[in-house]
Amino acid sequence: MKRLDSRTPEFEAGFTALLADRETESGRVDAPVAAILEAVRTRGDEAICEFTARFDRMKLTPDRLAIPAAEVDAAIAQVPRDQLDALEVAATRIEAFHRAQLPTDMEFTDADGVTLGQRWTSLDAVGLYVPGGKAAYPSSVLMNAIPAHVAGVERLAMCVPTPDGVLNPLVLAAARRAGVTEIYRIGGAQAVGAMAYGTKTIRPVDRIVGPGNAYVAEAKRQVFGRVGIDSIAGPSEVVVVADANNDPRLVALDLLAQAEHDELAQAILITNDASFADRVAEAVACELETLTRRVIASASWRDFGAIILVPDWDEAARLVDRIAPEHLELMVDDPRALFAKTKHAGAVFLGRFCPEAVGDYIGGPNHVLPTSRTARFASGLSVYDFLKRTTFIAADKTALERIGPAGVTLAQAEGLEAHALSISARLDKR
Amino acid sequence: MKRLDSRTPEFEAGFTALLADRETESGRVDAPVAAILEAVRTRGDEAICEFTARFDRMKLTPDRLAIPAAEVDAAIAQVPRDQLDALEVAATRIEAFHRAQLPTDMEFTDADGVTLGQRWTSLDAVGLYVPGGKAAYPSSVLMNAIPAHVAGVERLAMCVPTPDGVLNPLVLAAARRAGVTEIYRIGGAQAVGAMAYGTKTIRPVDRIVGPGNAYVAEAKRQVFGRVGIDSIAGPSEVVVVADANNDPRLVALDLLAQAEHDELAQAILITNDASFADRVAEAVACELETLTRRVIASASWRDFGAIILVPDWDEAARLVDRIAPEHLELMVDDPRALFAKTKHAGAVFLGRFCPEAVGDYIGGPNHVLPTSRTARFASGLSVYDFLKRTTFIAADKTALERIGPAGVTLAQAEGLEAHALSISARLDKR
C-alpha cells in the first residue's frame, strides 16, 4: 500500500504511478480463438460439441445443448429459501431502477415545417455469457439480463459452461427470474461463436454481453461488427473519500470488499486527516488476518492500494476526476456537495451507510461499470445497451422549398451531383 | 442490378445473397499501424513530423502542427458566400436537433427510503478525425463536431491531413462554425496516436470520432480502451419503399445518390408494382448516362443494386427489418403507418418530398449512421456519444436496514465475505 500526500513535491510522481496500467500481459489468444470461431461458423453444433468435450469434459449431443426447463426447475429446488428471497429483493430493485431509466421517444415540427424525431426500439435477441465454476455470480446474471428484459428484448439466450457437468443452481434461479428465455450449457469462444453466427440449434443474437476469460473476451472482439458487444472489463477499483468522523473499520471493510475481487483490483482512500489514515491502515491490516479471501485481498492492497492525504475536498474532487474510478464512496458530512464537484465516476455511493456492496447486489443501478479510468468516456450497463434509436425526418414540398436549396449548395460543393439532383428535381416539380 | 419477387420460390436465395457481406478483404495493416502508434507514443511530435513528411510530403516542425486562427480566417475568406450561408443553415438545424436530443438527469427516492439516480456529464476532450483530399466532407465535420459541442465537451481537437499542403477551406469553415477548438494538419494512424497518447504539443483526448481510411480505422481499433472510439463505418446503403404514385426519376435519383458514394454502396427499391419497377430501372439507366460520378454509381448499381417486388407493405416491412438499412425512404401514401411496422433502420425519411440527401446535409438528425445491417443493434452518432452517465445511490441507516440483509445473503452465497461484512458491520452499529 502506498501513502501519498497531495501537498508534497513527490506526490505527482507517486500519483501518476498509481494510475498506471494494471493490465497484465495476457498471452495472445487471437489465433486459437479465430480457429474456434471458424469451426463453429462452418461446422456448427458438431464443432460446439467437440470443443465442449475437449474443454469442459462434457459429452454432449446437439439436442442436449439447451438445458430443459425441468432441469432448471430441479436445480432451483435445491436453492435455500433465504437465497431465493434475497434474489427476489435484488431483482425487484434492479428492475425498478432500469424501468425508470427507459428513455422516451422525441418528436417535434420546427419553424420550417419539418417534422423531426427519434424513436427507441429494442434489439430482437441478446446473448448473455456467464462464466462457469467459481466466477459464476448470480448477481451478474441479474445485472446483465434484467436491463435487456426491461428494454423489451424478446429473445434472451444465455450460455454458461458446466465443466464436468457442474451447474450453479443460484445462477439458474437468477436466469429464470431475470427473464432469460434459453439456457445453453456451453462456454468459451465456441459459445460466443454460436451466439454470433448461429447453429442449427442456437439461433444467432444481435448483441453479446457478459464477462468471461481471455478467450471469451477475444472471441467477442472478433465477432464485433457482426453483432454488438459490451465493453471488455478491466481490473476494478474503488475510491473512498472519508473524513475522520467515520469508523475506520467500516472504511477498511469497504476497501477490502474491492480488494477481495482479484489481485489487480485497486482500493484507494482519500482523506483529510492523517491520524484517521493511520487508523484505517491498521484496521485493514487487522481485517486481513481473518478474511477468507485474504491471499487475494492482501496482494491487491499491497500492490495497488493507496491512502492519499488531501488538504480539502476540492483537491479530493480533482484527484477523483483524474482517477475516474469505477466506484466512488463519499463518506463525508455533505456528500451531495462533493458529488457535485466531481465529474468522472461509474457509480457513486453517498453517505456513511451506503457501502459499495449495496450497489453490487441490491441498490438497483447496474454493477457492470466502466473500469480502469474509462469512466472518463464510458457508462455502466443500462437499458440503452439493449435499445437503439432510429431518427426520422418528414417534409412536404413547402418544407423542402425552405430547407432544400442549402442542401443543394452543399451537395454541389462536395461534388455529389445525384445528391443535389434528388433535392432540386423535387423542387422543380409543378 | 438484381430483380427479385418475394412471392417466387427462388426469392430466399437471392435475398440472402443481397444481404451478404460487402466488405472487401482489405490488406492487413495491423503491424504497420502498431509501429506508427508505438513511435508516436514514445517519440511524440518528432515521430508525427517524420510520418507527415513521409506520407503527406509536408515538412513540419512541432510549432507548425496546429493551424493558427489567422490561417483558418484566410482560408474561410476564400469560401463563396452561398456556401457559407448553406453551411450556416445546416449547422443551425443540426444544432437544434441535437439540443432537443439532450437527456435529463433522473432521481427518485423509493419506498425503502433509498435515493437512486443517474447524472449525465460530458466528456472533457474529444478528437475529430477528418480525411484529407477528396474524401473531406464539410458536412461530416458538422455532423461529428456539433453533437460534441452541444453535449458540452470543452476541448474539441480536429486532425485533418493536408497532403502537399492542400487545405479544404469549407472544411475549416465547418470546423470553426461547429465549435472545434484546435485544428492540426496531420492525418493517418499518427494523428490517431497523437490524440490517444498525447504529445508535447497535442494534449490527449478521451474519445476519437470521425471516418478515415484503413490505417485510421485500424489505429482507432488499437487505441480503443485507452480512449473511446466511434464504430467503424462499413459500406453504406439505402432502401426506398415506393408505390406507383411516384415519379420514377425521383426514385432513380435517390437510389443513385446512394450509389454515387462508392462502389460498395447498396441501393435497393422495394415496390408493389412491377411496371413501376421497370420505369425506375429505365430512369436509373438514363440518369447514369450523364451523372458525373457515373463510373462509381454504375458499379454500385450493377453489383449491389436491387429491385424487389412485394405483394404488400407488410411484406416490405419484414424485408426492411431483415436488411436493417442505414437509410430508409418511405414514399407511400401513409408513410407513418409503414414506419410503425418497421423496427430496424438507422434513419428514416417519410413522404415523397424527403429524399435521403436532406438527412445528409440539412435535416438536423445525424448522418453518421449504422451501416451494413448493424442498425439491428446500433444507432447513429448523437449527443449520447459525448456524454456518460454516473449512477448514484444514497441510503441512511434506516434504508440500509431494509435492503441490507438481502445483500448480505447474496454476498455470502457468492463467497465474498468483505462485501457481506461491509453491510452487516453497519447494521450492527448502535
Side-chain angles (χ1 to χ4, degrees):
Chain A
M1 184 266 292
K2 199 178 275 185
R3 287 285 288 261
L4 298 171
D5 183 333
S6 78
R7 282 157 299 195
T8 58
E10 61 272 23
F11 173 75
E12 196 53 36
F15 187 73
T16 307
L18 210 60
L19 298 185
D21 208 344
R22 279 173 289 141
E23 287 290 354
T24 43
E25 197 54 56
S26 57
R28 287 178 68 105
V29 295
D30 42 353
V33 165
I36 293 171
L37 291 177
E38 179 63 12
V40 171
R41 202 176 61 75
T42 53
R43 295 193 297 116
D45 290 331
E46 189 195 356
I48 298 283
C49 292
E50 282 172 21
F51 291 123
T52 305
R54 192 193 309 171
F55 297 127
D56 297 338
R57 300 161 300 280
M58 289 273 290
K59 256 194 110 55
L60 289 180
T61 45
D63 60 303
R64 292 199 55 242
L65 294 181
I67 303 182
E71 201 175 329
V72 175
D73 291 338
I76 294 175
Q78 302 165 28
V79 179
R81 188 74 244 167
D82 67 323
Q83 289 186 15
L84 287 180
D85 290 346
L87 201 68
E88 184 57 35
V89 170
T92 304
R93 296 189 54 86
I94 295 165
E95 212 163 59
F97 183 81
H98 288 82
R99 228 173 260 295
Q101 199 176 48
L102 283 170
T104 49
D105 293 349
M106 182 252 285
E107 178 171 341
F108 62 96
T109 301
D110 66 19
D112 291 319
V114 185
T115 297
L116 302 165
Q118 68 183 13
R119 181 183 74 172
W120 295 89
T121 48
S122 61
L123 277 58
D124 288 337
V126 165
L128 168 56
Y129 188 88
V130 176
K134 278 186 299 179
Y137 289 137
S139 59
S140 289
V141 174
L142 298 182
M143 292 291 184
N144 278 277
I146 290 177
H149 189 66
V150 168
V153 174
E154 288 188 8
R155 265 190 73 218
L156 196 42
M158 175 171 129
C159 287
V160 55
T162 59
D164 301 308
V166 178
L167 269 169
N168 180 330
L170 197 54
V171 162
L172 296 183
R176 171 72 57 83
R177 174 57 181 83
V180 168
T181 54
E182 309 154 28
I183 308 177
Y184 302 97
R185 54 182 120 229
I186 60 173
Q190 60 273 23
V192 174
M195 294 192 280
Y197 301 114
T199 71
K200 213 163 167 191
T201 56
I202 305 176
R203 280 180 296 153
V205 302
D206 299 307
R207 187 182 179 111
I208 300 173
V209 298
N213 63 18
Y215 281 76
V216 171
E218 175 61 24
K220 280 161 68 180
R221 248 188 220 108
Q222 291 190 18
V223 299
F224 175 60
R226 168 173 292 268
V227 298
I229 60 168
D230 57 355
S231 58
I232 313 291
S236 162
E237 65 269 333
V238 72
V239 170
V240 180
V241 183
D243 60 27
N245 293 331
N246 285 289
D247 179 341
R249 180 174 178 240
L250 294 181
V251 173
L253 288 170
D254 292 2
L255 296 168
L256 290 171
Q258 191 63 43
E260 75 176 344
H261 269 296
D262 74 89
E263 292 85 349
L264 290 173
Q266 182 164 51
I268 297 174
L269 168 65
I270 299 180
T271 183
N272 59 350
D273 187 302
S275 90
F276 180 73
D278 294 339
R279 293 199 297 279
V280 172
E282 280 159 30
V284 168
C286 173
E287 295 296 328
L288 273 175
E289 284 174 21
T290 57
L291 203 65
T292 320
R293 294 170 68 93
R294 58 183 169 274
V295 176
I296 293 169
S298 298
S300 156
W301 182 244
R302 179 192 67 220
D303 296 340
F304 303 111
I307 298 182
I308 303 176
L309 196 64
V310 292
D312 53 47
W313 298 148
D314 283 345
E315 177 67 5
R318 277 189 291 272
L319 297 182
V320 162
D321 276 349
R322 289 181 63 190
I323 299 169
E326 181 188 12
H327 307 106
L328 173 64
E329 290 188 16
L330 301 179
M331 298 176 66
V332 298
D333 277 341
D334 188 351
R336 296 297 292 236
L338 180 48
F339 180 37
K341 284 179 187 171
T342 65
K343 200 173 168 197
H344 307 311
V348 179
F349 303 86
L350 301 158
R352 306 185 197 279
F353 284 92
C354 197
E356 187 270 321
V358 165
D360 282 338
Y361 297 109
I362 33 87
N366 214 284
H367 80 192
V368 180
L369 293 164
T371 59
S372 309
R373 303 191 62 227
T374 58
R376 288 172 295 125
F377 57 82
S379 309
L381 198 72
S382 70
V383 294
Y384 297 98
D385 290 280
F386 305 103
L387 296 167
K388 69 271 186 323
R389 281 173 298 101
T390 299
T391 54
F392 57 91
I393 310 177
D396 59 13
K397 189 158 186 230
T398 313
L400 190 65
E401 276 162 356
R402 290 195 184 144
I403 67 171
V408 173
T409 301
L410 290 172
Q412 286 168 341
E414 292 187 355
L416 295 174
E417 187 192 6
H419 282 67
L421 284 172
S422 73
I423 299 175
S424 61
R426 279 173 169 87
L427 296 178
D428 294 342
K429 294 214 30 127
R430 81 245 99 57
Chain B
M1 183 264 293
K2 197 178 279 188
R3 287 284 288 261
L4 298 172
D5 183 334
S6 78
R7 282 157 299 193
T8 59
E10 61 272 23
F11 174 75
E12 197 53 36
F15 187 72
T16 307
L18 210 61
L19 298 184
D21 208 343
R22 280 173 290 139
E23 288 289 354
T24 43
E25 198 52 56
S26 56
R28 285 181 69 104
V29 294
D30 43 351
V33 164
I36 293 171
L37 290 177
E38 179 62 13
V40 171
R41 202 177 61 76
T42 53
R43 296 193 295 117
D45 291 331
E46 190 194 355
I48 298 283
C49 292
E50 282 171 22
F51 290 122
T52 305
R54 193 193 308 171
F55 298 126
D56 296 338
R57 299 161 302 280
M58 289 272 292
K59 256 195 107 56
L60 288 180
T61 46
D63 60 301
R64 293 198 54 244
L65 294 181
I67 303 183
E71 203 174 328
V72 176
D73 292 338
I76 295 176
Q78 303 165 29
V79 178
R81 188 72 245 167
D82 66 324
Q83 290 186 13
L84 287 180
D85 290 346
L87 200 70
E88 183 59 33
V89 170
T92 303
R93 294 189 55 86
I94 295 165
E95 212 164 59
F97 182 81
H98 288 82
R99 226 172 262 296
Q101 197 175 50
L102 281 170
T104 49
D105 292 349
M106 183 253 284
E107 179 171 340
F108 63 96
T109 301
D110 66 21
D112 292 318
V114 185
T115 297
L116 303 164
Q118 68 183 13
R119 181 183 73 172
W120 296 88
T121 49
S122 62
L123 278 58
D124 288 336
V126 165
L128 168 57
Y129 189 87
V130 176
K134 278 187 298 177
Y137 289 137
S139 59
S140 289
V141 174
L142 298 182
M143 291 290 184
N144 279 278
I146 289 176
H149 189 66
V150 167
V153 174
E154 289 188 6
R155 266 190 71 218
L156 197 41
M158 175 172 127
C159 287
V160 54
T162 59
D164 301 307
V166 178
L167 270 169
N168 180 329
L170 195 55
V171 161
L172 296 183
R176 170 73 56 84
R177 174 57 181 83
V180 168
T181 55
E182 309 153 28
I183 307 177
Y184 302 97
R185 55 182 120 226
I186 61 174
Q190 60 272 23
V192 175
M195 294 193 279
Y197 301 115
T199 70
K200 214 165 167 186
T201 54
I202 304 176
R203 279 181 296 153
V205 301
D206 299 308
R207 187 181 178 111
I208 300 174
V209 297
N213 63 17
Y215 281 76
V216 171
E218 175 61 26
K220 280 161 69 179
R221 248 188 221 109
Q222 291 190 17
V223 300
F224 175 60
R226 167 174 292 271
V227 298
I229 61 168
D230 55 358
S231 59
I232 313 288
S236 160
E237 65 269 335
V238 72
V239 169
V240 180
V241 183
D243 60 25
N245 294 329
N246 285 288
D247 180 341
R249 181 174 178 240
L250 293 181
V251 172
L253 287 170
D254 293 2
L255 295 168
L256 290 171
Q258 191 62 44
E260 75 176 342
H261 269 297
D262 73 269
E263 290 86 348
L264 290 173
Q266 183 163 51
I268 298 174
L269 168 65
I270 299 180
T271 182
N272 59 349
D273 188 303
S275 90
F276 180 71
D278 294 338
R279 293 201 298 280
V280 171
E282 280 159 31
V284 168
C286 173
E287 294 296 328
L288 273 175
E289 283 174 23
T290 57
L291 202 65
T292 322
R293 294 169 69 92
R294 60 182 168 274
V295 176
I296 293 170
S298 297
S300 157
W301 181 243
R302 179 192 68 220
D303 296 340
F304 303 110
I307 298 181
I308 303 177
L309 196 65
V310 292
D312 52 48
W313 297 148
D314 283 344
E315 176 68 6
R318 277 189 291 272
L319 297 181
V320 162
D321 277 349
R322 288 181 65 190
I323 300 170
E326 181 188 12
H327 308 104
L328 173 64
E329 291 188 15
L330 301 178
M331 299 176 67
V332 297
D333 276 341
D334 188 351
R336 296 297 290 237
L338 182 48
F339 180 38
K341 285 180 187 170
T342 67
K343 201 173 169 196
H344 307 310
V348 179
F349 303 87
L350 300 158
R352 307 183 197 279
F353 285 91
C354 196
E356 187 270 320
V358 164
D360 282 338
Y361 296 109
I362 33 88
N366 214 284
H367 80 194
V368 180
L369 293 164
T371 59
S372 310
R373 304 191 60 228
T374 58
R376 288 173 295 126
F377 57 82
S379 310
L381 198 73
S382 69
V383 294
Y384 297 96
D385 291 280
F386 305 103
L387 297 167
K388 68 273 184 329
R389 280 172 299 102
T390 299
T391 55
F392 56 92
I393 310 177
D396 58 14
K397 189 158 184 233
T398 312
L400 190 65
E401 276 161 357
R402 291 196 184 145
I403 67 170
V408 173
T409 301
L410 291 171
Q412 285 167 342
E414 292 187 353
L416 296 174
E417 187 192 4
H419 282 67
L421 285 172
S422 73
I423 298 174
S424 61
R426 280 172 168 88
L427 297 178
D428 294 342
K429 290 207 43 119
R430 78 246 108 29

